[in-house]
Amino acid sequence: MDLPATPFDGFEGFYPFEDETTVETEPTLEITLDTPFVYASDEVVSLHFDIMAIQSAMRLEAPDALDLDYTRVMMGFLLLADTPPTRILMIGLGGGSLVKYCYRHLPQACITVVEINPQVIAVRDDFFIPADDERLRVVCGDGAAFVRDEDETHDWDLILVDGFTREGQPEALCSASFYAHCHAALAPEGLMVVNMQADDSAVLETRIDATFDSRSLSVPSERDTNRILFASRAAPWQPNPARIQARWHKLDPVHQTTLAATRTRLRRVLKQTMVPAVSATS
């Protein structure tokens, strides 16, 4: 989800669903799912819960590209992980931007996506999301419950959390217990990447740091409306600008194009957070 966005000049290109859906989420919260609508022009298809905020956007000339800045920042895990992930769990489907990019450009990865809203899944074809196969499955379910049930597997190389409603990130996907389950479900060298609204980031970063022993890094989106937080189960985890640069040179050209601005932002954040070396005194 990218906030805020300029409203479109009219509604002739969108088509909404008619009904809302009510579900029970983990652990006992009952919520009404937002009704999405799709805006389609000659150049762009976008997913919304209201006209003021874009959940996902796709350019028809490049449907697998990452159009929104925050999605490119989330892909920064390629500059922070020692090896590309082979097992990816995504919480939140939206218009499938990250799913499509990872499916096409990380051919070694098997991807599971958990989306609670069946009406979002129903428009997957509008965004050219590939059909389920041996590498991709989209599950209609509660992401918090799914992670809870996976928390003893220690099997996911990467967990991407990008689940939002009209009101923002639901409590079930940003509670201390949810982050603890994510930590437990990760492989020993695994990473969790969370998209969060900047206004909520301080509280959520504190929760994540408590679970991941402060092995985390917060990176702003282009307009600083979102924060992307990377958290590692590995101990120790010490990313630095030199390692970012070394990994950059190993990336395929398509990733270098996608991550050019993200690399700069990551290096800037790391330089700001690094503790200067203290010389020994006699």
Side-chain angles (χ1 to χ4, degrees):
M1 179 179 184
D2 194 37
L3 292 170
T6 302
F8 294 104
D9 296 328
F11 294 83
E12 66 278 0
F14 82 85
Y15 44 99
F17 288 86
E18 295 181 354
D19 301 320
E20 292 183 332
T21 303
T22 301
V23 299
E24 187 174 291
T25 64
E26 165 70 19
T28 57
L29 298 176
E30 188 177 89
I31 65 169
T32 299
L33 299 178
D34 295 315
T35 301
F37 64 86
V38 175
Y39 175 92
S41 70
D42 291 338
E43 298 178 353
V44 176
V45 178
S46 54
L47 182 70
H48 303 256
F49 291 135
D50 63 65
I51 201 64
M52 291 300 296
I54 300 175
Q55 298 291 323
S56 188
M58 175 185 73
R59 285 179 291 119
L60 291 172
E61 66 177 6
D64 294 335
L66 297 178
D67 198 48
L68 298 180
D69 176 75
Y70 88 86
T71 60
R72 296 191 292 273
V73 180
M74 291 187 77
M75 286 300 302
F77 67 79
L78 290 173
L79 294 168
L80 295 169
D82 289 331
T83 58
T86 58
R87 297 202 71 228
I88 300 175
L89 173 62
M90 299 185 182
I91 307 298
L93 174 65
S97 299
L98 287 166
V99 178
K100 292 183 295 182
Y101 186 91
C102 291
Y103 184 84
R104 178 171 180 180
H105 299 298
L106 297 176
Q108 80 288 347
C110 292
I111 305 164
T112 296
V113 187
V114 184
E115 169 58 55
I116 197 171
N117 193 333
Q119 296 180 92
V120 171
I121 297 175
V123 298
R124 66 186 290 176
D125 290 345
D126 295 274
F127 291 91
F128 305 159
I129 297 171
D132 286 12
D133 61 15
E134 67 278 0
R135 289 187 51 227
L136 172 64
R137 64 172 179 144
V138 177
V139 178
C140 186
D142 178 359
F146 188 94
V147 171
R148 179 203 63 202
D149 294 340
E150 291 280 304
D151 71 358
E152 295 302 324
T153 63
H154 311 306
D155 207 17
W156 298 100
D157 300 313
L158 178 69
I159 299 177
L160 297 172
V161 183
D162 188 23
F164 282 85
T165 68
R166 185 197 308 267
E167 303 301 324
Q169 199 161 38
E171 179 62 26
L173 295 183
C174 57
S175 67
S177 62
F178 171 72
Y179 294 137
H181 290 315
C182 287
H183 180 275
L186 285 169
E189 303 295 319
L191 281 174
M192 178 182 74
V193 185
V194 182
N195 175 33
M196 58 185 69
Q197 294 172 243
D199 292 344
D200 301 327
S201 63
V203 172
L204 302 188
E205 288 173 20
T206 298
R207 291 179 189 172
I208 292 171
D209 278 347
T211 299
F212 285 80
D213 294 329
S214 298
R215 294 188 297 272
S216 67
L217 184 67
S218 178
V219 181
S221 65
E222 185 176 33
R223 296 177 300 183
D224 204 17
T225 53
N226 295 60
R227 289 270 169 171
I228 308 303
L229 191 128
F230 302 86
S232 174
R233 188 175 180 186
W237 187 60
Q238 298 175 324
N240 59 62
R243 289 183 181 179
I244 296 291
Q245 191 67 11
R247 288 173 181 140
W248 168 263
H249 289 303
K250 296 179 181 179
L251 292 179
D252 292 339
V254 64
H255 296 313
Q256 291 184 341
T257 299
T258 299
L259 296 176
T262 298
R263 176 188 63 154
T264 300
R265 221 171 296 161
L266 272 170
R267 296 180 69 192
R268 183 185 306 123
V269 169
L270 285 169
K271 288 178 180 178
Q272 292 171 348
T273 57
M274 288 176 65
V275 177
V278 179
S279 301
T281 58
S282 56

